[in-house]
Amino acid sequence: MTSHSRAAEALSPKIRYTAADFYRLSNGVYAASPSPDPDTAGNYVAERTGVGQSVDTADKRLDLTTSSCSHQVQVPHPIRGHSPHCCIREESSGIAQSFLESSITHRLPHGQDRNEVGIPSKGLGHCHYCCRCGRVSERRSSDSKPQRRSRSFSPPRVGISELSGLERIAIHDAFTPKVVAPAPCRRGEAPLENLPVEILDRIIAQLTLEVPQTTYTARKSDLVSCLLTSRSIHAATISTLYAHIIVRNSEAFSKFLGRITQLSELGYLVRRLDLSQFSSVGLKRTRQKNSEVQNLTSETLLRCLELTPCLQEVLLQEHIEDDIDQAFIGKLFFGLPNLQAVDFCAASSSSFVEAFSAVVNSLTPSTALSIRRMSLHECFTLPSLALDALLPCLPRLTHLDLSHTRVTDKALTSIPSTARITHLNLGRCAQITGQGVVKFLSEHPAVGAIIYLNLACDVSRYRLLWEVDVDRLLPILPSTLRSLNLSGAKVSYSHLPLLIPLTKHLEELSIGFTELSMSDINSLFVPQTALDDDSDVSDEELNWMPSTLYYLDLTGIPSVTQSALFSSSCILLSPATSPLEVLELSDKAISALKGSRKSNKQVGWLVQELGRRAWYVREPTGETQRGTRGRKSWKMGARWWGSRKVPVVWGEIGGLMGFYMFKK
């Protein structure tokens, strides 16, 4: 390459210098810049480069900017938006109980100040001489008076034309990345294409975004790009693309139905049909207008089931309850042999009740449905006879959510003995009795290895578990139990000897609206003798096993107040209660804690709120901030604590499911 061609290349528009680079260039400093961070450079290119500007140009400008002026605008991190209208999504930050709601507003990521997203602060630090960022020069002392500029003053020129040809060549060579091109391979023989199908499927599945970050984010844009890569990648991607179908509006459902109608082979790839995030809100239509569009109706829903015979999971909810008719439910129960999970979350319309009752009343005792995970959460209008007819036909049941339904003791005992229930939600079921529940949990073989158990009740209307029931229940709970909700039960000081052994394997415990004092709550984490002033170490202290609780619900307990939490006799906020990180408290206590920001900072706790619920959360530090404390297999994809709904599918929490799990 001649000197003229090299100089011409140096003068190309790909290399641009700013005033921040004058000090380095004018002094002949040509240190090679470090290789750009692919993540940071990618974000910078996506947000700062224009049409026609190459990635190499953005990378070079990034290196020049970050290696010179200390006050240049930092490379911005992408600001994450909120989810669609009815979506409550968990935020994967270091602080527990962090959620994103549906309102489309932008916020700064946790732990970043305004400088990190390109908003400069004023009056901080020093810059190099002749830097035109508007701040004090390094050559001016901090105590010197500001000098008045001369009228003939003009900023120095730092254009590329001021440099000599040799300098331009040296700068170009210093900032040109050395890229070694890989050896060309034949078509269809790339290393990625030669991977086993099982590994390739797992790699491509990582590109699926279950819950988009913003309302208009394309959830499967990366998968669509993979379809255009090669034939082998296309074949491996198409199954992942159609495995989980999430429908958010009627137009999307119409497009999907039209596609599988044209190519019926695609319908055999569908494993999950998720309508839990469906809503017409945001389309500027009324409910009547949306029904006139005729995109999602009872006929099209039935047609969809007929074209997807290999369905395994179906998620429905209250926004489409009027379109769930008898033919659809019949096809769902009897026409899909591989069906394993069904969710009718909050469906309660009269048309749905009539259709559901007509189908389940036709079941016979010899009927065996293939469903393993069933949720009728908040289906409070279903009659008891419908549940009495349905539960005996679920011999493979593992997850059962009957919260706020009319289930009876008779229906519970009719569950087949072949079932292996690990997740059971009987919260706010007013027609069951404490005696019947205790008998079911102690004698029925299907609940011998239960993991999640919700027996909460509304104490303003009824009480499920009285003192006698609690005395019989606590000793029979298995060691496999990880989450226990006893809110509203008649738990008192006399039950502490039975409750303390459970804290050695429980990770969630709800004892709201009980009659415990602050001293009784402290004894769940340290022995009672350690709380006394006696200096002698007892045998109980020597043999004490620490608690495994991460979450403790103290809602409605009169003794739990702001002053009690900050008192010296309370140990809940101290490191001695680790790994405890979430306390769910009443509105009165939360309101007082919100006004005590200085005290919250001193103890290392903060307030988190979502809808009707509020938590007092320990701020993560050190290793706890980098860990995945909330990732537990029994949560089936949920990250945070205190869920009031049993998930029936594995995946990220979003849509109406997130609302009923953490907000209501």
Side-chain angles (χ1 to χ4, degrees):
M1 181 182 295
T2 63
S3 60
H4 295 286
S5 61
R6 299 181 66 178
E9 184 177 358
L11 292 172
S12 62
K14 291 186 176 181
I15 302 179
R16 300 176 183 176
Y17 298 96
T18 62
D21 307 311
F22 174 77
Y23 178 80
R24 178 178 53 185
L25 300 181
S26 60
N27 288 276
V29 180
Y30 309 123
S33 61
S35 58
D37 184 5
D39 298 332
T40 309
N43 296 338
Y44 186 87
V45 172
E47 298 187 20
R48 297 298 184 193
T49 58
V51 179
Q53 184 177 351
S54 64
V55 176
D56 295 337
T57 306
D59 289 345
K60 294 171 185 176
R61 295 184 61 187
L62 173 63
D63 292 338
L64 290 173
T65 304
T66 56
S67 60
S68 57
C69 177
S70 61
H71 294 290
Q72 293 294 324
V73 176
Q74 299 294 330
V75 179
H77 297 273
I79 299 178
R80 302 177 63 184
H82 293 277
S83 300
H85 165 72
C86 60
C87 184
I88 299 297
R89 183 165 61 89
E90 294 179 307
E91 184 184 9
S92 56
S93 64
I95 302 177
Q97 309 305 105
S98 299
F99 300 92
L100 296 177
E101 295 192 68
S102 58
S103 57
I104 308 175
T105 56
H106 296 288
R107 59 174 186 79
L108 303 184
H110 173 70
Q112 297 181 358
D113 55 16
R114 298 176 64 86
N115 282 332
E116 292 180 332
V117 291
I119 305 176
S121 59
K122 297 182 180 180
L124 297 177
H126 300 277
C127 290
H128 293 295
Y129 184 69
C130 296
C131 178
R132 292 183 288 182
C133 68
R135 290 175 177 81
V136 184
S137 169
E138 281 184 347
R139 299 191 180 184
R140 180 184 299 174
S141 60
S142 59
D143 57 348
S144 62
K145 298 182 179 179
Q147 302 293 331
R148 182 177 180 181
R149 288 184 175 181
S150 172
R151 294 184 179 180
S152 61
F153 171 83
S154 61
R157 293 181 297 173
V158 292
I160 195 68
S161 60
E162 302 297 322
L163 304 177
S164 64
L166 294 177
E167 290 175 328
R168 290 196 299 268
I169 294 173
I171 293 174
H172 178 268
D173 293 341
F175 291 100
T176 301
K178 303 300 186 294
V179 179
V180 179
C185 55
R186 297 181 181 180
R187 180 177 299 178
E189 296 182 359
L192 182 63
E193 296 174 294
N194 292 330
L195 290 175
V197 178
E198 296 80 5
I199 298 179
L200 190 58
D201 288 342
R202 288 184 174 270
I203 294 175
I204 295 177
Q206 302 301 318
L207 301 177
T208 304
L209 184 63
E210 296 290 344
V211 181
Q213 298 177 358
T214 58
T215 306
Y216 303 104
T217 302
R219 186 174 62 88
K220 296 186 177 182
S221 58
D222 294 334
L223 292 177
V224 174
S225 301
C226 290
L227 294 176
L228 308 177
T229 304
S230 66
R231 293 184 178 181
S232 57
I233 299 298
H234 179 280
T237 305
I238 197 69
S239 59
T240 303
L241 184 64
Y242 280 87
H244 295 172
I245 301 299
I246 300 179
V247 179
R248 292 185 173 85
N249 52 68
S250 58
E251 285 78 6
F253 180 78
S254 179
K255 292 179 181 179
F256 164 69
L257 184 60
R259 186 61 175 170
I260 62 176
T261 302
Q262 295 176 358
L263 298 175
S264 59
E265 295 83 0
L266 296 177
Y268 288 86
L269 302 176
V270 181
R271 297 295 183 267
R272 178 187 300 175
L273 180 61
D274 187 354
L275 295 170
S276 64
Q277 303 181 33
F278 178 86
S279 176
S280 60
V281 179
L283 300 178
K284 298 181 180 180
R285 297 177 186 164
T286 62
R287 189 170 186 176
Q288 180 180 0
K289 182 64 176 179
N290 193 60
S291 62
E292 295 174 357
V293 178
Q294 297 296 311
N295 284 334
L296 194 150
T297 63
S298 57
E299 291 80 9
T300 55
L301 281 174
L302 180 60
R303 178 63 177 163
C304 180
L305 293 187
E306 294 174 349
L307 294 174
T308 54
C310 298
L311 267 178
Q312 298 179 358
E313 301 166 345
V314 179
L315 305 181
L316 310 170
Q317 40 102 350
E318 58 182 332
H319 289 167
I320 59 172
E321 58 186 4
D322 293 332
D323 297 315
I324 303 176
D325 59 1
Q326 182 176 348
F328 176 83
I329 299 177
K331 178 66 176 179
L332 194 65
F333 285 171
F334 308 118
L336 300 176
N338 298 324
L339 187 65
Q340 297 184 5
V342 180
D343 196 338
F344 294 98
C345 183
S348 57
S349 65
S350 58
S351 59
F352 166 76
V353 172
E354 293 177 2
F356 191 90
S357 300
V359 172
V360 298
N361 289 334
S362 64
L363 298 174
T364 61
S366 60
T367 305
L369 301 179
S370 60
I371 300 174
R372 296 176 180 268
R373 302 181 292 275
M374 168 69 74
S375 175
L376 296 172
H377 189 88
E378 293 285 343
C379 296
F380 56 89
T381 56
L382 286 178
S384 301
L385 294 177
L387 299 176
D388 293 343
L390 174 64
L391 295 183
C393 301
L394 300 173
R396 303 179 181 179
L397 197 62
T398 60
H399 295 61
L400 181 61
D401 192 337
L402 298 175
S403 176
H404 199 192
T405 61
R406 300 181 182 180
V407 64
T408 61
D409 297 337
K410 177 183 176 182
L412 291 177
T413 56
S414 66
I415 296 176
S417 58
T418 56
R420 293 295 178 265
I421 299 179
T422 59
H423 293 65
L424 179 61
N425 189 353
L426 299 176
R428 297 192 299 159
C429 294
Q431 297 193 17
I432 58 176
T433 63
Q435 182 179 1
V437 170
V438 173
K439 182 179 180 181
F440 169 73
L441 293 174
S442 60
E443 298 179 1
H444 204 287
V447 291
I450 195 167
I451 297 175
Y452 175 97
L453 179 61
N454 189 342
L455 300 177
C457 66
D458 187 357
V459 292
S460 63
R461 298 183 179 181
Y462 75 102
R463 189 183 294 273
L464 177 62
L465 300 173
W466 294 88
E467 291 185 359
V468 179
D469 302 324
V470 176
D471 289 334
R472 296 179 55 198
L473 174 66
L474 295 181
I476 65 173
L477 294 176
S479 60
T480 58
L481 192 63
R482 294 296 178 266
S483 178
L484 176 62
N485 193 334
L486 297 177
S487 294
K490 194 72 172 179
V491 179
S492 60
Y493 172 79
S494 61
H495 297 115
L496 287 179
L498 300 176
L499 196 60
I500 291 176
L502 297 179
T503 62
K504 312 309 177 185
H505 56 81
L506 284 176
E507 296 176 349
E508 288 183 349
L509 177 60
S510 299
I511 49 176
F513 300 96
T514 57
E515 300 177 355
L516 297 177
S517 64
M518 185 59 70
S519 177
D520 299 336
I521 299 173
N522 288 337
S523 62
L524 297 177
F525 299 93
V526 295
Q528 187 65 36
T529 55
L531 300 175
D532 300 335
D533 296 333
D534 190 5
S535 59
D536 296 335
V537 179
S538 63
D539 295 338
E540 183 182 5
E541 296 181 54
L542 294 175
N543 301 326
W544 182 263
M545 293 180 59
S547 169
T548 58
L549 290 177
Y550 289 84
Y551 165 88
L552 182 61
D553 183 5
L554 304 177
T555 306
I557 300 181
S559 61
V560 180
T561 61
Q562 177 202 18
S563 57
L565 290 173
F566 288 159
S567 65
S568 58
S569 59
C570 178
I571 65 168
L572 291 181
L573 307 183
S574 66
T577 60
S578 181
L580 180 69
E581 63 177 3
V582 178
L583 293 174
E584 185 162 359
L585 306 174
S586 304
D587 295 338
K588 185 177 181 180
I590 288 294
S591 299
L593 290 171
K594 288 171 62 177
S596 307
R597 297 183 179 180
K598 185 176 180 180
S599 300
N600 294 338
K601 187 175 182 180
Q602 290 177 351
V603 298
W605 289 67
L606 53 86
V607 176
Q608 296 281 78
E609 294 180 288
L610 181 66
R612 304 177 184 177
R613 305 179 65 181
W615 305 272
Y616 201 40
V617 180
R618 191 193 301 268
E619 292 191 62
T621 56
E623 297 182 357
T624 60
Q625 188 172 6
R626 300 188 297 269
T628 56
R629 306 173 309 281
R631 295 293 186 187
K632 303 296 180 179
S633 59
W634 57 268
K635 293 184 181 180
M636 301 183 66
R639 179 183 180 89
W640 300 131
W641 307 95
S643 174
R644 294 178 177 175
K645 183 184 182 304
V646 174
V648 296
V649 297
W650 289 84
E652 298 181 14
I653 303 303
L656 201 65
M657 306 302 171
F659 172 82
Y660 282 103
M661 291 177 70
F662 296 106
K663 187 174 183 180
K664 186 174 180 180

